[in-house]
Amino acid sequence: MPPVNSIVCVKPVPDPRRWSELALDPVTKTLRREGIPIVLNPLDKHALEEALRIKERFGGRVTAISMAPLTASESLREAIAIGADDAVLISDKSFAGADTLATSYVLAAAIKKLGKFDLIFCGNQSLDGGTGQVVPEIAEFLGVPHVTYARKIALVDGGIARVERAVEYGYMLIEARMPLVLSVVKEINVPRHVPLMRISEAMQAEVRVWTSRDLDVDSSRIGLSGSPTQVADLFLPVLKRRAETLSGAPDAVSRLLIQRLHELGVL
Ligand SMILES: Cc1cc2nc3c(=O)[nH]c(=O)nc-3n(C[C@H](O)[C@H](O)[C@H](O)COP(=O)(O)OP(=O)(O)OC[C@H]3O[C@@H](n4cnc5c(N)ncnc54)[C@H](O)[C@@H]3O)c2cc1C
């Protein structure tokens, strides 16, 4: 197998430990992420790990890319600390407010600019948006096949990837010719531990920043104005659940529980 050049799409997402601070913007119908620390989308770490294992086996390069605000350069440096050879941040005010189609359009344009690739790795879905749409959309824009839910990947001679695609009660075995876009599930591997020292060293690493001027993109297809998705409404659901604690001897509590379930119409 010749060396394999991989591109890993990594999305910086709001730190889930601080989600209670996220707010909704009633005008743009988007999440207000300002002030919330960001972390690498957890599944994207599995995607990066898989690309690194393939590089360690066959040689080649691993490039991490992200479309995000400039503050995300730290996440890309983390990708370098984990093992990526280089990183590109695609960042421009004109990209803000992009829906999944406008996001994958720009990511695909950046991938074309990076040149020849064998594999593109993504997470199966992001922690915040979670649509899982970006992966097939990137593949469509690039005109290459894609396989989602990859739980095991083996590269065989002839430029073929043999992929176990997780389904509800087992897996599908799919053979696809590279170049190929893959999205992974967490069962695929255990991401390596990276010493804190390496992360702080990588904070000096160079991250290339590309704006809309660096990419061959049609300005009518980027950002909020280039996004065909119309978000009709965005709201926090009101939780109507209430808790009731029954206490006493087990027999009495069991009888009380059955009585309450009857009263509530559950039984
Ligand atoms: C009208 C509208 C406006 C929006 N405005 C904004 C906004 O201003 N700011 C904002 O942050 N989001 C915005 N979003 C959300 C944004 O469109 C999605 O977060 C983004 O397109 C990715 O979709 P997803 O999170 O569902 O990714 P998924 O499809 O669930 O992600 C799958 C995988 O794709 C890759 N991936 C996804 N997004 C990126 C990325 N940006 N860079 C690199 N890899 C990626 C990762 O590997 C990820 O694991 C907006 C959405 C809509 C509908």
Side-chain angles (χ1 to χ4, degrees):
M1 173 68 63
V4 178
N5 286 330
S6 296
I7 294 168
V8 186
C9 298
V10 291
K11 182 179 182 189
V13 294
D15 188 336
R17 288 169 300 185
R18 303 277 295 270
W19 275 17
S20 57
E21 295 165 43
L22 282 172
L24 305 178
D25 187 319
V27 179
T28 59
K29 308 261 182 359
T30 57
L31 279 179
R32 276 202 194 124
R33 297 154 200 256
E34 299 82 27
I36 313 281
I38 50 174
V39 295
L40 276 184
N41 183 45
L43 274 181
D44 300 353
K45 285 192 175 178
H46 293 264
L48 180 56
E49 176 65 32
E50 202 58 24
L52 293 174
R53 289 184 188 192
I54 287 176
K55 177 191 156 182
E56 283 156 8
R57 179 131 189 245
F58 302 107
R61 283 184 73 73
V62 174
T63 303
I65 67 166
S66 190
M67 184 185 111
L70 282 174
T71 46
S73 50
E74 233 173 70
S75 300
L76 284 166
R77 289 199 178 94
E78 186 184 344
I80 291 175
I82 296 171
D85 296 290
D86 63 354
V88 179
L89 175 62
I90 306 141
S91 195
D92 194 309
K93 281 208 164 65
S94 64
F95 296 146
D99 67 1
T100 63
L101 197 67
T103 300
S104 47
Y105 173 66
V106 171
L107 287 172
I111 291 167
K112 283 181 196 159
K113 185 177 163 102
L114 281 169
K116 192 180 164 299
F117 65 89
D118 301 295
L119 292 171
I120 295 174
F121 283 95
C122 299
N124 212 49
Q125 63 183 67
S126 69
L127 201 62
D128 54 352
T131 63
Q133 292 174 357
V134 168
V135 179
E137 288 170 354
I138 290 176
E140 283 299 309
F141 281 123
L142 295 172
V144 300
H146 73 274
V147 181
T148 51
Y149 292 91
R151 65 170 212 183
K152 192 171 177 186
I153 299 163
L155 302 187
V156 293
D157 282 338
I160 303 285
R162 194 170 285 156
V163 186
E164 285 187 16
R165 179 178 192 271
V167 289
E168 205 172 358
Y169 296 108
Y171 65 91
M172 296 160 71
L173 186 59
I174 297 179
E175 286 193 350
R177 190 172 294 282
M178 299 191 285
L180 172 70
V181 182
L182 290 160
S183 71
V184 306
V185 293
K186 68 178 185 337
E187 291 72 23
I188 195 164
N189 56 40
V190 178
R192 65 197 60 194
H193 170 72
V194 181
L196 212 55
M197 191 63 155
R198 182 118 56 91
I199 297 183
S200 58
E201 278 165 15
M203 288 305 139
Q204 311 303 323
E206 190 203 339
V207 170
R208 281 181 282 167
V209 179
W210 288 348
T211 66
S212 59
R213 285 188 304 279
D214 297 303
L215 300 177
D216 182 14
V217 285
D218 174 346
S219 59
S220 69
R221 298 177 73 180
I222 61 175
L224 188 62
S225 59
S227 294
T229 313
Q230 302 290 321
V231 182
D233 202 0
L234 193 68
F235 58 91
L236 288 172
V238 181
L239 292 179
K240 290 189 179 148
R241 278 188 227 142
R242 64 194 164 90
E244 187 178 339
T245 307
L246 306 177
S247 51
D251 274 1
V253 170
S254 309
R255 275 195 296 278
L256 198 54
L257 177 62
I258 290 168
Q259 183 193 326
R260 290 293 294 126
L261 291 176
H262 274 297
E263 284 167 10
L264 292 168
V266 180
L267 291 179

